[in-house]
Amino acid sequence: MPSIRNLLTERKYPFLLALAFFLLSILLLFLFSNPTNSLFSSYFPSLGELQASTHPLPPPPSRPSPIPSPDPLPNANPNPIESVEDVGSDEVFEFRWEICQRGKGFDVVDYIPCLDNIRAIKELKSRRHMEHRERRCPKPSPSCLVPLPPGYKVPVPWPKSRDMIWYNNVPHPKLVEYKKDQNWVQRSGDYLVFPGGGTQFKQGVTSYIQFIEQILPTIEWGRRTRVILDVGCGVASFGGCLLDKNVITMSFAPKDEHEAQIQFALERGIPAFLSVIGTQKLTFPDNVFDLIHCARCRVHWDANGGKPLLDLNRILRPGGFFVWSATPVYRDNTRDQTIWNAMVLLTDSICWKMVVKSMDATGIGVVIYQKPVSNSCYEQRKINNPSLCLQKDGPNISWYAPLDSCLSPLPNRSGKEYNWPISWPERLKTRISSVPQELNGMYAEEKYDDDMKHWETLVSEAYLHDLGISWSSIRNVMDMNAGFGGFAAALINQPLWVMNVVPVHGPDTLPIIFNRGLIGIYHDWCEAFNTYPRTYDLLHSTFLFGTLTQRCNIIEVVAEMDRILRPGKWILIQDSIEMIRKMHPILQSLHYETTLYKRWFLVGKKDFWRPDHKESTS
């Protein structure tokens, strides 16, 4: 039979030659167009395995998954850090960024779009139930950039920041003067200093926390009690001090006359966000907080038929504690005793048990209630008031949801009492089967396990070493599409905290996140987040933007990300190549320094640039 060389030189058997070239072309086309082919992907085993397990969440019934399952892609560049231009770009971005304009009623450097909507607030018919402190987002969302305050500096690093921050970064002296006798915050030269005092912390917050555990040892800070909500937190010294005990506290307060208290907390590096108990539910799932704390939080719990306390009951874990430190607990005047008597009736009606009432050496009183662990008490009440809420099918995401006037029944566990999560830190890797029964059918155990392993590998082998991010300067982190919370769990040994955000149009995984001993919140990224500008060091996004761009303008989303990101800090985006191509020129237009890792991970570092001038770092 003729050799291949003879066939080529003598041009015999033209039909066979044509057939051979045709078959060879088909084979090459198949190999290079199908990256999941085992022969092709074997050249890139680490990236193929890594991408194959990338965070696809199984959708709950009748709800589409917001996170598509990516195909593994080759990385032909032996150097993992690439130029963003290597992926190519079909996008032409033409947009002229402008500085947000000062409005009547808010300072533009502290602009919070959904809380500074002055026009919407003026149109309110009532402010009786704190309606003017609730979210009222402008339409469309702003696409302007918030300027820096004069003299803004790179924030004081953690843990020093817990005790002192730069005054020019949060130049608000009102709280210093207003609370000067209570040691909330003091001015010392170029710094604001936080002595650890508070309205109810006469001997300091450390002594107060020790007193609570002394009168109720079963609280077990950092073991049994891991996830806390602090209502009306002030400058969040309570939550900041508990960090030393392995307790993570979600601190919140409204944007009110106590100027910039949440901004102080976040600048210190303590988890916090802006909210109010008004007419809408808090944006958390049912039955997730181990303990809820209120020290003179100025909430009228019995107002509006007791709706504020009913919402706390909804989000408090069965068997969890409510710690209330306020004047009605220990003062005998008519006003305080009227409030106390109303509280007694209300807590009895929802089956809260008063487990301890005590007073410390300074005369400050504390009462601790415990939520029941089964529905038996509700069913045995002589008066069915408040009535039990009707059970609803499927997830019940509390987003713009009005407060209930009914009592949320406890999770159905076939007549059994609710089981408290295993102790921290073991609960971080608790199996999904331990979450409420209604979630078990939505998420396969294998997906949860794969997700946990994936993030452990990705964070340890790539994120912490290969992305050019200075993790030693990272404190406040936000995972914009948190899934099961695997990213936060993989970072648990780093000196930082993660706000796990679960988008309201995707799978409801937030109960799982809380069950692991992490914190999080619901949000819609087509609107602004309830925080001050310049409050996060790292924004992390995993396959968020594809579905998001179907509902809102990506420019508005990027403007919001820029608003809440601190200068000199990072955005880390994992997404499709198509979305990376769209995001890169937008970040470039903001003067972000951008790099690409394995074609799927876009890193952007924010500069001090603003459209009308360039701030100098200090």
Side-chain angles (χ1 to χ4, degrees), residues 198-225:
T199 307
Q200 298 294 101
F201 315 147
K202 299 293 185 181
Q203 293 183 319
V205 66
T206 301
S207 176
Y208 174 80
I209 288 170
Q210 291 173 348
F211 173 69
I212 291 174
E213 191 168 31
Q214 176 186 337
I215 61 176
L216 189 64
T218 54
I219 279 182
E220 287 187 90
W221 298 125
R223 289 289 291 165
R224 183 186 189 275
T225 302

PDB file of all heavy atoms in Angstrom, residues 198-225:
ATOM      1  N   GLY A 198     -21.353  52.718  77.046  1.00  0.00           N
ATOM      2  CA  GLY A 198     -22.683  52.747  76.443  1.00  0.00           C
ATOM      3  C   GLY A 198     -23.695  53.186  77.467  1.00  0.00           C
ATOM      4  O   GLY A 198     -23.408  53.249  78.671  1.00  0.00           O
ATOM      5  N   THR A 199     -24.896  53.460  77.007  1.00  0.00           N
ATOM      6  CA  THR A 199     -25.954  53.923  77.906  1.00  0.00           C
ATOM      7  C   THR A 199     -26.189  52.940  79.044  1.00  0.00           C
ATOM      8  O   THR A 199     -26.404  53.327  80.193  1.00  0.00           O
ATOM      9  CB  THR A 199     -27.256  54.123  77.110  1.00  0.00           C
ATOM     10  OG1 THR A 199     -26.987  54.978  75.994  1.00  0.00           O
ATOM     11  CG2 THR A 199     -28.324  54.764  77.978  1.00  0.00           C
ATOM     12  N   GLN A 200     -26.108  51.643  78.743  1.00  0.00           N
ATOM     13  CA  GLN A 200     -26.342  50.606  79.749  1.00  0.00           C
ATOM     14  C   GLN A 200     -25.041  49.953  80.229  1.00  0.00           C
ATOM     15  O   GLN A 200     -25.090  49.005  80.992  1.00  0.00           O
ATOM     16  CB  GLN A 200     -27.271  49.534  79.186  1.00  0.00           C
ATOM     17  CG  GLN A 200     -28.655  50.035  78.803  1.00  0.00           C
ATOM     18  CD  GLN A 200     -29.460  50.485  79.993  1.00  0.00           C
ATOM     19  OE1 GLN A 200     -29.582  51.681  80.270  1.00  0.00           O
ATOM     20  NE2 GLN A 200     -29.992  49.545  80.732  1.00  0.00           N
ATOM     21  N   PHE A 201     -23.921  50.432  79.745  1.00  0.00           N
ATOM     22  CA  PHE A 201     -22.634  49.810  80.100  1.00  0.00           C
ATOM     23  C   PHE A 201     -21.858  50.746  81.026  1.00  0.00           C
ATOM     24  O   PHE A 201     -20.831  51.307  80.670  1.00  0.00           O
ATOM     25  CB  PHE A 201     -21.802  49.512  78.846  1.00  0.00           C
ATOM     26  CG  PHE A 201     -22.551  48.881  77.716  1.00  0.00           C
ATOM     27  CD1 PHE A 201     -22.200  49.153  76.398  1.00  0.00           C
ATOM     28  CD2 PHE A 201     -23.600  48.008  77.943  1.00  0.00           C
ATOM     29  CE1 PHE A 201     -22.874  48.576  75.347  1.00  0.00           C
ATOM     30  CE2 PHE A 201     -24.289  47.424  76.887  1.00  0.00           C
ATOM     31  CZ  PHE A 201     -23.927  47.710  75.588  1.00  0.00           C
ATOM     32  N   LYS A 202     -22.330  50.921  82.238  1.00  0.00           N
ATOM     33  CA  LYS A 202     -21.728  51.879  83.158  1.00  0.00           C
ATOM     34  C   LYS A 202     -20.282  51.512  83.499  1.00  0.00           C
ATOM     35  O   LYS A 202     -19.440  52.385  83.696  1.00  0.00           O
ATOM     36  CB  LYS A 202     -22.554  51.956  84.444  1.00  0.00           C
ATOM     37  CG  LYS A 202     -23.994  52.425  84.232  1.00  0.00           C
ATOM     38  CD  LYS A 202     -24.062  53.868  83.771  1.00  0.00           C
ATOM     39  CE  LYS A 202     -25.507  54.336  83.691  1.00  0.00           C
ATOM     40  NZ  LYS A 202     -25.611  55.737  83.211  1.00  0.00           N
ATOM     41  N   GLN A 203     -19.990  50.222  83.578  1.00  0.00           N
ATOM     42  CA  GLN A 203     -18.633  49.765  83.883  1.00  0.00           C
ATOM     43  C   GLN A 203     -17.920  49.226  82.644  1.00  0.00           C
ATOM     44  O   GLN A 203     -16.921  48.525  82.767  1.00  0.00           O
ATOM     45  CB  GLN A 203     -18.687  48.682  84.970  1.00  0.00           C
ATOM     46  CG  GLN A 203     -19.155  49.202  86.319  1.00  0.00           C
ATOM     47  CD  GLN A 203     -19.135  48.117  87.385  1.00  0.00           C
ATOM     48  OE1 GLN A 203     -19.502  46.974  87.137  1.00  0.00           O
ATOM     49  NE2 GLN A 203     -18.701  48.484  88.585  1.00  0.00           N
ATOM     50  N   GLY A 204     -18.448  49.565  81.474  1.00  0.00           N
ATOM     51  CA  GLY A 204     -17.843  49.101  80.239  1.00  0.00           C
ATOM     52  C   GLY A 204     -18.540  47.872  79.688  1.00  0.00           C
ATOM     53  O   GLY A 204     -19.139  47.091  80.425  1.00  0.00           O
ATOM     54  N   VAL A 205     -18.426  47.695  78.392  1.00  0.00           N
ATOM     55  CA  VAL A 205     -19.146  46.615  77.735  1.00  0.00           C
ATOM     56  C   VAL A 205     -18.607  45.247  78.125  1.00  0.00           C
ATOM     57  O   VAL A 205     -19.350  44.264  78.193  1.00  0.00           O
ATOM     58  CB  VAL A 205     -19.116  46.818  76.195  1.00  0.00           C
ATOM     59  CG1 VAL A 205     -17.703  46.676  75.642  1.00  0.00           C
ATOM     60  CG2 VAL A 205     -20.073  45.852  75.506  1.00  0.00           C
ATOM     61  N   THR A 206     -17.313  45.137  78.401  1.00  0.00           N
ATOM     62  CA  THR A 206     -16.741  43.842  78.804  1.00  0.00           C
ATOM     63  C   THR A 206     -17.374  43.345  80.094  1.00  0.00           C
ATOM     64  O   THR A 206     -17.763  42.171  80.209  1.00  0.00           O
ATOM     65  CB  THR A 206     -15.214  43.965  78.986  1.00  0.00           C
ATOM     66  OG1 THR A 206     -14.629  44.404  77.756  1.00  0.00           O
ATOM     67  CG2 THR A 206     -14.617  42.624  79.377  1.00  0.00           C
ATOM     68  N   SER A 207     -17.515  44.235  81.067  1.00  0.00           N
ATOM     69  CA  SER A 207     -18.142  43.875  82.335  1.00  0.00           C
ATOM     70  C   SER A 207     -19.610  43.500  82.128  1.00  0.00           C
ATOM     71  O   SER A 207     -20.121  42.551  82.744  1.00  0.00           O
ATOM     72  CB  SER A 207     -18.021  45.038  83.321  1.00  0.00           C
ATOM     73  OG  SER A 207     -18.691  44.754  84.531  1.00  0.00           O
ATOM     74  N   TYR A 208     -20.284  44.211  81.249  1.00  0.00           N
ATOM     75  CA  TYR A 208     -21.700  43.942  80.963  1.00  0.00           C
ATOM     76  C   TYR A 208     -21.877  42.543  80.375  1.00  0.00           C
ATOM     77  O   TYR A 208     -22.775  41.786  80.767  1.00  0.00           O
ATOM     78  CB  TYR A 208     -22.209  45.027  80.009  1.00  0.00           C
ATOM     79  CG  TYR A 208     -23.606  44.835  79.489  1.00  0.00           C
ATOM     80  CD1 TYR A 208     -24.714  45.173  80.269  1.00  0.00           C
ATOM     81  CD2 TYR A 208     -23.834  44.362  78.200  1.00  0.00           C
ATOM     82  CE1 TYR A 208     -26.006  45.030  79.772  1.00  0.00           C
ATOM     83  CE2 TYR A 208     -25.116  44.213  77.707  1.00  0.00           C
ATOM     84  CZ  TYR A 208     -26.197  44.544  78.494  1.00  0.00           C
ATOM     85  OH  TYR A 208     -27.482  44.391  77.996  1.00  0.00           O
ATOM     86  N   ILE A 209     -21.031  42.175  79.425  1.00  0.00           N
ATOM     87  CA  ILE A 209     -21.118  40.860  78.781  1.00  0.00           C
ATOM     88  C   ILE A 209     -20.830  39.744  79.789  1.00  0.00           C
ATOM     89  O   ILE A 209     -21.491  38.694  79.790  1.00  0.00           O
ATOM     90  CB  ILE A 209     -20.155  40.804  77.578  1.00  0.00           C
ATOM     91  CG1 ILE A 209     -20.706  41.676  76.445  1.00  0.00           C
ATOM     92  CG2 ILE A 209     -19.929  39.374  77.104  1.00  0.00           C
ATOM     93  CD1 ILE A 209     -19.731  41.875  75.303  1.00  0.00           C
ATOM     94  N   GLN A 210     -19.851  39.971  80.661  1.00  0.00           N
ATOM     95  CA  GLN A 210     -19.558  38.986  81.694  1.00  0.00           C
ATOM     96  C   GLN A 210     -20.730  38.831  82.664  1.00  0.00           C
ATOM     97  O   GLN A 210     -21.036  37.708  83.109  1.00  0.00           O
ATOM     98  CB  GLN A 210     -18.298  39.407  82.461  1.00  0.00           C
ATOM     99  CG  GLN A 210     -17.022  39.325  81.644  1.00  0.00           C
ATOM    100  CD  GLN A 210     -15.822  39.919  82.376  1.00  0.00           C
ATOM    101  OE1 GLN A 210     -15.974  40.584  83.406  1.00  0.00           O
ATOM    102  NE2 GLN A 210     -14.627  39.693  81.831  1.00  0.00           N
ATOM    103  N   PHE A 211     -21.417  39.929  82.951  1.00  0.00           N
ATOM    104  CA  PHE A 211     -22.564  39.883  83.856  1.00  0.00           C
ATOM    105  C   PHE A 211     -23.688  39.041  83.268  1.00  0.00           C
ATOM    106  O   PHE A 211     -24.325  38.248  83.979  1.00  0.00           O
ATOM    107  CB  PHE A 211     -23.047  41.306  84.145  1.00  0.00           C
ATOM    108  CG  PHE A 211     -24.327  41.375  84.921  1.00  0.00           C
ATOM    109  CD1 PHE A 211     -24.372  40.991  86.254  1.00  0.00           C
ATOM    110  CD2 PHE A 211     -25.493  41.828  84.316  1.00  0.00           C
ATOM    111  CE1 PHE A 211     -25.560  41.054  86.971  1.00  0.00           C
ATOM    112  CE2 PHE A 211     -26.679  41.894  85.031  1.00  0.00           C
ATOM    113  CZ  PHE A 211     -26.723  41.502  86.359  1.00  0.00           C
ATOM    114  N   ILE A 212     -23.933  39.178  81.969  1.00  0.00           N
ATOM    115  CA  ILE A 212     -24.995  38.402  81.316  1.00  0.00           C
ATOM    116  C   ILE A 212     -24.703  36.907  81.422  1.00  0.00           C
ATOM    117  O   ILE A 212     -25.587  36.104  81.759  1.00  0.00           O
ATOM    118  CB  ILE A 212     -25.140  38.826  79.836  1.00  0.00           C
ATOM    119  CG1 ILE A 212     -25.703  40.248  79.754  1.00  0.00           C
ATOM    120  CG2 ILE A 212     -26.046  37.852  79.081  1.00  0.00           C
ATOM    121  CD1 ILE A 212     -25.739  40.813  78.344  1.00  0.00           C
ATOM    122  N   GLU A 213     -23.455  36.513  81.156  1.00  0.00           N
ATOM    123  CA  GLU A 213     -23.117  35.085  81.240  1.00  0.00           C
ATOM    124  C   GLU A 213     -23.118  34.606  82.692  1.00  0.00           C
ATOM    125  O   GLU A 213     -23.407  33.439  82.973  1.00  0.00           O
ATOM    126  CB  GLU A 213     -21.764  34.824  80.600  1.00  0.00           C
ATOM    127  CG  GLU A 213     -21.473  33.339  80.403  1.00  0.00           C
ATOM    128  CD  GLU A 213     -20.288  33.092  79.515  1.00  0.00           C
ATOM    129  OE1 GLU A 213     -19.362  33.926  79.501  1.00  0.00           O
ATOM    130  OE2 GLU A 213     -20.270  32.060  78.826  1.00  0.00           O
ATOM    131  N   GLN A 214     -22.843  35.498  83.608  1.00  0.00           N
ATOM    132  CA  GLN A 214     -22.854  35.135  85.035  1.00  0.00           C
ATOM    133  C   GLN A 214     -24.263  34.806  85.510  1.00  0.00           C
ATOM    134  O   GLN A 214     -24.469  33.836  86.245  1.00  0.00           O
ATOM    135  CB  GLN A 214     -22.279  36.293  85.862  1.00  0.00           C
ATOM    136  CG  GLN A 214     -22.319  36.074  87.374  1.00  0.00           C
ATOM    137  CD  GLN A 214     -21.872  37.314  88.133  1.00  0.00           C
ATOM    138  OE1 GLN A 214     -21.150  38.159  87.611  1.00  0.00           O
ATOM    139  NE2 GLN A 214     -22.315  37.431  89.380  1.00  0.00           N
ATOM    140  N   ILE A 215     -25.254  35.618  85.083  1.00  0.00           N
ATOM    141  CA  ILE A 215     -26.621  35.374  85.552  1.00  0.00           C
ATOM    142  C   ILE A 215     -27.314  34.273  84.749  1.00  0.00           C
ATOM    143  O   ILE A 215     -28.324  33.741  85.192  1.00  0.00           O
ATOM    144  CB  ILE A 215     -27.463  36.674  85.508  1.00  0.00           C
ATOM    145  CG1 ILE A 215     -27.582  37.222  84.077  1.00  0.00           C
ATOM    146  CG2 ILE A 215     -26.877  37.721  86.448  1.00  0.00           C
ATOM    147  CD1 ILE A 215     -28.472  38.454  83.961  1.00  0.00           C
ATOM    148  N   LEU A 216     -26.756  33.901  83.571  1.00  0.00           N
ATOM    149  CA  LEU A 216     -27.321  32.810  82.778  1.00  0.00           C
ATOM    150  C   LEU A 216     -26.181  32.059  82.076  1.00  0.00           C
ATOM    151  O   LEU A 216     -25.912  32.268  80.902  1.00  0.00           O
ATOM    152  CB  LEU A 216     -28.335  33.340  81.754  1.00  0.00           C
ATOM    153  CG  LEU A 216     -29.142  32.249  81.037  1.00  0.00           C
ATOM    154  CD1 LEU A 216     -30.023  31.484  82.032  1.00  0.00           C
ATOM    155  CD2 LEU A 216     -30.010  32.862  79.937  1.00  0.00           C
ATOM    156  N   PRO A 217     -25.495  31.168  82.808  1.00  0.00           N
ATOM    157  CA  PRO A 217     -24.341  30.458  82.234  1.00  0.00           C
ATOM    158  C   PRO A 217     -24.666  29.632  80.992  1.00  0.00           C
ATOM    159  O   PRO A 217     -23.766  29.380  80.184  1.00  0.00           O
ATOM    160  CB  PRO A 217     -23.883  29.559  83.391  1.00  0.00           C
ATOM    161  CG  PRO A 217     -24.391  30.222  84.634  1.00  0.00           C
ATOM    162  CD  PRO A 217     -25.694  30.845  84.231  1.00  0.00           C
ATOM    163  N   THR A 218     -25.919  29.208  80.828  1.00  0.00           N
ATOM    164  CA  THR A 218     -26.275  28.377  79.670  1.00  0.00           C
ATOM    165  C   THR A 218     -26.151  29.128  78.352  1.00  0.00           C
ATOM    166  O   THR A 218     -26.222  28.516  77.285  1.00  0.00           O
ATOM    167  CB  THR A 218     -27.705  27.832  79.800  1.00  0.00           C
ATOM    168  OG1 THR A 218     -28.608  28.928  80.016  1.00  0.00           O
ATOM    169  CG2 THR A 218     -27.810  26.855  80.952  1.00  0.00           C
ATOM    170  N   ILE A 219     -25.963  30.459  78.404  1.00  0.00           N
ATOM    171  CA  ILE A 219     -25.750  31.211  77.172  1.00  0.00           C
ATOM    172  C   ILE A 219     -24.473  30.723  76.473  1.00  0.00           C
ATOM    173  O   ILE A 219     -24.440  30.594  75.244  1.00  0.00           O
ATOM    174  CB  ILE A 219     -25.684  32.726  77.461  1.00  0.00           C
ATOM    175  CG1 ILE A 219     -27.111  33.280  77.593  1.00  0.00           C
ATOM    176  CG2 ILE A 219     -24.932  33.479  76.360  1.00  0.00           C
ATOM    177  CD1 ILE A 219     -27.193  34.759  77.831  1.00  0.00           C
ATOM    178  N   GLU A 220     -23.415  30.471  77.232  1.00  0.00           N
ATOM    179  CA  GLU A 220     -22.160  29.935  76.683  1.00  0.00           C
ATOM    180  C   GLU A 220     -21.707  30.706  75.437  1.00  0.00           C
ATOM    181  O   GLU A 220     -21.753  30.205  74.318  1.00  0.00           O
ATOM    182  CB  GLU A 220     -22.293  28.454  76.327  1.00  0.00           C
ATOM    183  CG  GLU A 220     -22.350  27.517  77.502  1.00  0.00           C
ATOM    184  CD  GLU A 220     -22.305  26.071  77.055  1.00  0.00           C
ATOM    185  OE1 GLU A 220     -21.191  25.526  76.946  1.00  0.00           O
ATOM    186  OE2 GLU A 220     -23.381  25.499  76.803  1.00  0.00           O
ATOM    187  N   TRP A 221     -21.262  31.936  75.643  1.00  0.00           N
ATOM    188  CA  TRP A 221     -20.789  32.749  74.518  1.00  0.00           C
ATOM    189  C   TRP A 221     -19.778  31.970  73.661  1.00  0.00           C
ATOM    190  O   TRP A 221     -18.822  31.395  74.171  1.00  0.00           O
ATOM    191  CB  TRP A 221     -20.099  34.013  75.004  1.00  0.00           C
ATOM    192  CG  TRP A 221     -20.918  34.989  75.788  1.00  0.00           C
ATOM    193  CD1 TRP A 221     -20.637  35.468  77.030  1.00  0.00           C
ATOM    194  CD2 TRP A 221     -22.112  35.669  75.381  1.00  0.00           C
ATOM    195  NE1 TRP A 221     -21.578  36.381  77.432  1.00  0.00           N
ATOM    196  CE2 TRP A 221     -22.499  36.532  76.436  1.00  0.00           C
ATOM    197  CE3 TRP A 221     -22.900  35.611  74.235  1.00  0.00           C
ATOM    198  CZ2 TRP A 221     -23.637  37.338  76.377  1.00  0.00           C
ATOM    199  CZ3 TRP A 221     -24.031  36.423  74.169  1.00  0.00           C
ATOM    200  CH2 TRP A 221     -24.385  37.267  75.223  1.00  0.00           C
ATOM    201  N   GLY A 222     -20.002  31.953  72.378  1.00  0.00           N
ATOM    202  CA  GLY A 222     -19.042  31.358  71.457  1.00  0.00           C
ATOM    203  C   GLY A 222     -19.127  29.857  71.305  1.00  0.00           C
ATOM    204  O   GLY A 222     -18.426  29.281  70.465  1.00  0.00           O
ATOM    205  N   ARG A 223     -19.955  29.186  72.066  1.00  0.00           N
ATOM    206  CA  ARG A 223     -20.179  27.746  71.899  1.00  0.00           C
ATOM    207  C   ARG A 223     -21.648  27.492  71.557  1.00  0.00           C
ATOM    208  O   ARG A 223     -21.969  27.186  70.427  1.00  0.00           O
ATOM    209  CB  ARG A 223     -19.804  27.002  73.194  1.00  0.00           C
ATOM    210  CG  ARG A 223     -18.328  26.954  73.472  1.00  0.00           C
ATOM    211  CD  ARG A 223     -17.600  26.016  72.497  1.00  0.00           C
ATOM    212  NE  ARG A 223     -17.957  24.613  72.745  1.00  0.00           N
ATOM    213  CZ  ARG A 223     -17.705  23.626  71.892  1.00  0.00           C
ATOM    214  NH1 ARG A 223     -17.114  23.892  70.742  1.00  0.00           N
ATOM    215  NH2 ARG A 223     -18.051  22.378  72.172  1.00  0.00           N
ATOM    216  N   ARG A 224     -22.521  27.663  72.548  1.00  0.00           N
ATOM    217  CA  ARG A 224     -23.946  27.512  72.260  1.00  0.00           C
ATOM    218  C   ARG A 224     -24.490  28.733  71.532  1.00  0.00           C
ATOM    219  O   ARG A 224     -25.279  28.630  70.603  1.00  0.00           O
ATOM    220  CB  ARG A 224     -24.734  27.301  73.547  1.00  0.00           C
ATOM    221  CG  ARG A 224     -26.223  27.070  73.318  1.00  0.00           C
ATOM    222  CD  ARG A 224     -26.970  27.003  74.651  1.00  0.00           C
ATOM    223  NE  ARG A 224     -28.351  26.579  74.473  1.00  0.00           N
ATOM    224  CZ  ARG A 224     -29.366  27.394  74.167  1.00  0.00           C
ATOM    225  NH1 ARG A 224     -29.116  28.692  73.986  1.00  0.00           N
ATOM    226  NH2 ARG A 224     -30.589  26.941  74.030  1.00  0.00           N
ATOM    227  N   THR A 225     -24.056  29.910  71.982  1.00  0.00           N
ATOM    228  CA  THR A 225     -24.517  31.164  71.384  1.00  0.00           C
ATOM    229  C   THR A 225     -23.450  31.685  70.437  1.00  0.00           C
ATOM    230  O   THR A 225     -22.391  32.135  70.876  1.00  0.00           O
ATOM    231  CB  THR A 225     -24.826  32.211  72.468  1.00  0.00           C
ATOM    232  OG1 THR A 225     -25.813  31.686  73.362  1.00  0.00           O
ATOM    233  CG2 THR A 225     -25.343  33.493  71.853  1.00  0.00           C
TER     234      THR A 225
END
